[in-house]
Amino acid sequence: MECNIITVFFWAIIYSCIVNRVHSQDNTNNSASNAQSFVLACGASSDATEENGRKWIPDTKYLISSENSASAIAQSQDPSLPSTIPYMTARFFKSESMYKFFVSPMFRYWIRLHFYPSSYVVFDSSKAFFSVTAGGFTLLDNFSASITVEALTQAYIIREFAMIPIKSGTLNLTFTPSSTHNDSFAFVNGIEIIPVPEIFQPAPMVGFSDQQMETESCTMQTMFRLNIGGNHIPPSNDSGYGRTWYDDAPYIYGAAMGVTSEADKNVRIAHSSDVEKYIAPLDVYSTARSMGPNSTVNINYNLTWEFQIDVNFTYLVRLHFCEYQLSKVNQRVFAIFINNQTAFPEADVIAWGEGKGVPVHKDYAIHINGESGDDRLWVALHPNVTSKPEFYDAILNGLEIFKLNDIMQNLAGPNPMPLPLKLETMSTQRQPFSQSKSKNHGIIIGSVLGVIAGFGLMFGFIMPLICRKRRVDLGGSSTSRWPSIYRYSLSFGTRTSSKTIGSSRISSMGGHLCRHFTLAEIKLGTDNFNETNVIGVGGFGKVYKGYIDGSAAVAIKRANPSSEQGVHEFETEIDLLSKLRHRHLVSLIGACEENDEMILVYDYMANGTLREHLYNKNKPPLCWKQRLDICIGAARGLHYLHTGAKYTIIHRDVKTTNILLDERWVAKVSDFGLSKTGPSLDQTHVSTMVKGSFGYLDPEYFRRQRLTEKSDVYSFGVVLFEVLCGRPAIIPTLPKDQVSLADWALINIRRKTLEEIIDPRIKGQITSDCLKHFTETAGKCLFDCSIDRPSMGSVLRHLEYSLQLQLDSDGAMAVSKQETDFNYAYYMHATLLSIQEEGEIYEESEEHGARR
Ligand SMILES: *[C@@H]1O[C@H](CO)[C@@H](O)[C@H](O)[C@H]1NC(C)=O
Ligand SMILES: *[C@@H]1O[C@H](CO)[C@@H](O)[C@H](O)[C@H]1NC(C)=O
Ligand SMILES: *[C@@H]1O[C@H](CO)[C@@H](O)[C@H](O)[C@H]1NC(C)=O
Ligand SMILES: *[C@@H]1O[C@H](CO)[C@@H](O)[C@H](O)[C@H]1NC(C)=O
Ligand SMILES: *[C@@H]1O[C@H](CO)[C@@H](O)[C@H](O)[C@H]1NC(C)=O
Ligand SMILES: *[C@@H]1O[C@H](CO)[C@@H](O)[C@H](O)[C@H]1NC(C)=O
Ligand SMILES: *[C@@H]1O[C@H](CO)[C@@H](O)[C@H](O)[C@H]1NC(C)=O
Ligand SMILES: *[C@@H]1O[C@H](CO)[C@@H](O)[C@H](O)[C@H]1NC(C)=O
Ligand SMILES: *[C@@H]1O[C@H](CO)[C@@H](O)[C@H](O)[C@H]1NC(C)=O
Ligand SMILES: *[C@@H]1O[C@H](CO)[C@@H](O)[C@H](O)[C@H]1NC(C)=O
């Protein structure tokens, strides 16, 4: 019965598409590139050229009836904007307004709309609710750019549509303010209208093997466009159509990430025909994700991606394949599932492409109906053993998901639901100057966001970096990622559920790198949690010194069972630390989860925290060179977090108690409980609850709740002054201007009296060149605006240079000192090598982690 309804519905859609169908498409005619494109910076007054060389022209020429419109300039430029053009200017419409373009009736056109819902002098873009129609199709309805970006934690969004050829040759693009909202208006920052040869063919309907979807005649919205197993491909590197291809890692479902690979230089990858060129650039085909080398493992899992979509629409799922590792038929044969239904039972890429290095793509259509909770689309691959292939494996190179217009010629879905992001006004104030980890506890939103960023993203992001080591440009320009709705496993948000999945997570996630301890081992090692072994207490719980395997000293962090936020941090740390290995990061050895206990086992850091060596009167003071060494080490660890990994990881709680020292005084950054993967994923900031420690908090982060890696730079600047001045970041009892070290240091720099606040115990040791360079560097870290602060890599280089200045004037003596001997050689070495070489990434030993 239900089936019949669905079938009828399909036919209705197919019919609606056939009605719209434009015949006489010549698929081999590639002169689309000769047809005119329109690239408009709305509200701009003159032509302007974007950084990557793209030219944008003002929109006035194409605007019909402009009396109800106004242009405006955004009041602030979000650092995550890929370019000022077209985002910093906007066109506003108080009533229905139209753009008119003369287009070729031969071609489909990409319509891209750019929105930057910031504040504009005369308009508050959060009040804008509007619809957009084009060529008789509703592209957006009751659309709020402001709500959408908030839900996606983006600063701007791009909406892309593939408009069917317009027979009349006139494309009308109409903006209509919503009538149901008082004083509503419409706005847009940029419009692109780009001709494209027909790249869509009829596609089989998943689950209805005898039916085809006539996609050629449907207008579509691009929902997702991913370069599977590869990097973000910016519009300038697309094969001519300004598309952006995003990384797939955030969409991978579950812990099984498979392995990524890149085509060998010797393998020639070439399009089989001209049309193929428009389908996707070769960069998409030269990287892939496959299941892994172990058949036993592969047989037991599905390589799955999950996407959030709007229900009651039909979707076209386009899979891009290119086999560049194998060359024979029946070597790698797999089934393709879409929403748990078989889309294709026996995919064999070599058979499809008739050879190695030949790109092919396959389209499947699926209708997704239901209530708003069913808004998920899954794509899964699984080896098909029936045909006895040589390898039990599967591969995918690229994936696009398009939404097809419905029977009402509509493409608009509801606005996404933003998470209720509340500004929590400094819960740190309640215990303002506490030395313990004054993190915000038990705030649902914090943990939800944390879970999203911490898990949805980290899962995705940390794993692939192990497979391939790539640098990510820190600058905003390359981070113009596709605004996307990330998959997030909310199940980790509550304590009950995480308890039940916890142990399986250890084994499935970190298990390969992270040893699983029994509670008995831990109890034995800590003398049954003997209080005399406690070496620290934090928000998470107590930290004990213990021994494993009879003699190896370890630090054992035991979650306080009543600490709600511990669950999140526990899992974050396992995820993060078990994947990250660096000389200047504390290594996680293993974990124990038994009887509700959550325990992490780390390398023991014989010399404790940096803080206790700075102004604890019971310990001998560190000399200046040692301090510099430690700062450089910590900077190196942070730099690695920010850039050494494929994705930026923001520590969020950089402070002297989180910089630990081992028996050789090597600095190691610790405590990733608050860490978040940062900007380069999809945005240049992570919108989030203010967390961190008082005295170290980035003022911009606090003002805007926008987290960037520069927030860590700020905190590190405070650490540098703490090291120089030998005083805590906050001393509440001092006169007002001296309470905060950050403020006090800047005041003294301005007054040129910094020398007066230097730790008297080291004052005589610092050469003036070194001091000058060091304080300049530290001072820049404290700049109010994050964009003015240097990157961690730059801070590191300047610190190394400071050390060089110090050593130069100290003469050769320095080299002969035993302790510094090692360090000096090490630094000389490091300055010659690129910093990245130093950031050794631990090779994953897991079964499906190793193939390259
Ligand atoms: C392609 O289309 C153009 C019109 O836009 C036409 O002049 C040309 O002859 C066509 N080329 C081919 C190969 O069909
Ligand atoms: C576009 O708008 C014009 C009026 O400016 C109208 O005459 C024309 O029919 C419209 N075209 C379409 C395809 O809606
Ligand atoms: C705004 O909406 C309210 C009811 O929601 C209505 O009473 C009022 O007249 C509206 N104002 C304008 C200016 O339309
Ligand atoms: C884009 O292409 C250029 C030239 O081929 C290349 O140098 C650059 O690395 C590419 N950028 C990305 C992000 O792939
Ligand atoms: C594959 O994985 C299974 C289960 O984890 C393991 O028992 C087996 O030894 C592995 N095989 C190879 C060849 O690594
Ligand atoms: C597909 O199966 C998984 C479990 O294997 C289930 O959680 C999910 O809801 C199913 N998806 C659909 C669309 O039926
Ligand atoms: C893979 O997905 C298919 C379709 O949802 C399902 O039938 C099958 O049980 C899954 N296999 C595994 C190992 O999860
Ligand atoms: C494998 O291929 C066979 C033959 O086409 C098919 O009958 C079977 O359902 C496929 N297996 C899976 C898991 O899809
Ligand atoms: C999808 O369509 C069904 C049947 O027409 C309807 O019951 C359901 O409410 C719709 N879902 C949404 C989210 O509109
Ligand atoms: C328009 O969108 C807003 C925000 O998502 C929603 O609250 C409202 O109900 C929508 N209005 C209509 C008429 O759909």
Side-chain angles (χ1 to χ4, degrees), residues 55-124:
K55 195 170 150 198
W56 296 73
I57 61 170
D59 59 333
T60 36
K61 208 168 110 190
Y62 302 94
L63 188 60
I64 312 296
S65 68
S66 55
E67 63 268 18
N68 281 319
S69 83
S71 59
I73 294 172
Q75 280 172 304
S76 65
Q77 182 181 350
D78 191 281
S80 71
L81 287 179
S83 151
T84 53
I85 307 154
Y87 300 104
M88 291 303 284
T89 61
R91 170 77 56 193
F92 287 85
F93 310 100
K94 288 209 185 98
S95 62
E96 182 171 311
S97 308
M98 190 168 83
Y99 287 97
K100 196 159 142 185
F101 303 95
F102 292 109
V103 295
S104 160
M106 306 282 296
F107 304 115
R108 226 180 230 283
Y109 278 78
W110 291 122
I111 298 180
R112 274 187 212 111
L113 305 174
H114 300 252
F115 301 99
Y116 175 41
S118 172
S119 55
Y120 294 83
V121 183
V122 261
F123 298 99
D124 171 7

Side-chain angles (χ1 to χ4, degrees), residues 112-168:
R112 274 187 212 111
L113 305 174
H114 300 252
F115 301 99
Y116 175 41
S118 172
S119 55
Y120 294 83
V121 183
V122 261
F123 298 99
D124 171 7
S125 60
S126 68
K127 291 219 181 86
F129 283 85
F130 56 97
S131 65
V132 179
T133 59
F137 291 90
T138 305
L139 306 184
L140 298 169
D141 189 28
N142 186 36
F143 172 69
S144 167
S146 164
I147 292 175
T148 310
V149 296
E150 193 188 330
L152 303 178
T153 65
Q154 294 274 140
Y156 68 101
I157 45 167
I158 304 168
R159 285 282 176 261
E160 184 187 271
F161 304 91
M163 174 60 65
I164 55 160
I166 306 280
K167 271 181 285 181
S168 68

Side-chain angles (χ1 to χ4, degrees), residues 264-279:
D264 197 272
K265 296 265 179 308
N266 306 323
V267 178
R268 184 172 168 271
I269 297 178
H271 289 296
S272 58
S273 75
D274 272 357
V275 185
E276 288 286 333
K277 275 189 195 136
Y278 309 115
I279 307 269

Side-chain angles (χ1 to χ4, degrees), residues 446-518:
S447 72
V448 168
L449 277 174
V451 166
I452 293 166
F455 293 127
L457 307 186
M458 270 165 203
F459 270 42
F461 292 139
I462 310 308
M463 299 278 282
L465 73 88
I466 299 143
C467 308
R468 278 196 306 149
K469 174 162 95 174
R470 291 243 178 133
R471 289 195 71 161
V472 173
D473 184 357
L474 261 186
S477 60
S478 72
T479 52
S480 56
R481 302 301 171 92
W482 192 260
S484 49
I485 301 168
Y486 282 111
R487 181 187 76 71
Y488 35 88
S489 4
L490 286 170
S491 51
F492 295 127
T494 61
R495 184 164 165 76
T496 39
S497 59
S498 65
K499 255 197 248 174
T500 53
I501 56 186
S503 49
S504 65
R505 280 175 44 74
I506 293 180
S507 49
S508 67
M509 280 292 308
H512 50 284
L513 288 174
C514 156
R515 176 167 159 194
H516 198 144
F517 290 95
T518 62

Side-chain angles (χ1 to χ4, degrees), residues 435-457:
Q435 301 299 356
S436 74
K437 292 197 242 167
S438 50
K439 296 164 187 172
N440 307 322
H441 298 246
I443 298 146
I444 291 166
I445 177 59
S447 72
V448 168
L449 277 174
V451 166
I452 293 166
F455 293 127
L457 307 186

Side-chain angles (χ1 to χ4, degrees), residues 680-743:
S680 23
L681 8 138
D682 186 53
Q683 57 215 34
T684 45
H685 65 264
V686 178
S687 191
T688 170
M689 295 298 305
V690 173
K691 283 191 173 185
S693 298
F694 202 67
Y696 295 91
L697 260 187
D698 170 8
E700 187 173 270
Y701 170 35
F702 185 66
R703 276 197 307 272
R704 307 176 56 201
Q705 285 110 64
R706 294 241 161 120
L707 185 66
T708 69
E709 70 279 359
K710 297 291 184 68
S711 308
D712 284 350
V713 172
Y714 182 91
S715 309
F716 191 66
V718 178
V719 168
L720 292 179
F721 280 115
E722 214 175 321
V723 165
L724 181 70
C725 305
R727 61 152 275 189
I730 293 286
I731 306 180
T733 52
L734 290 181
K736 193 158 159 275
D737 57 350
Q738 300 184 24
V739 170
S740 152
L741 174 60
D743 294 344

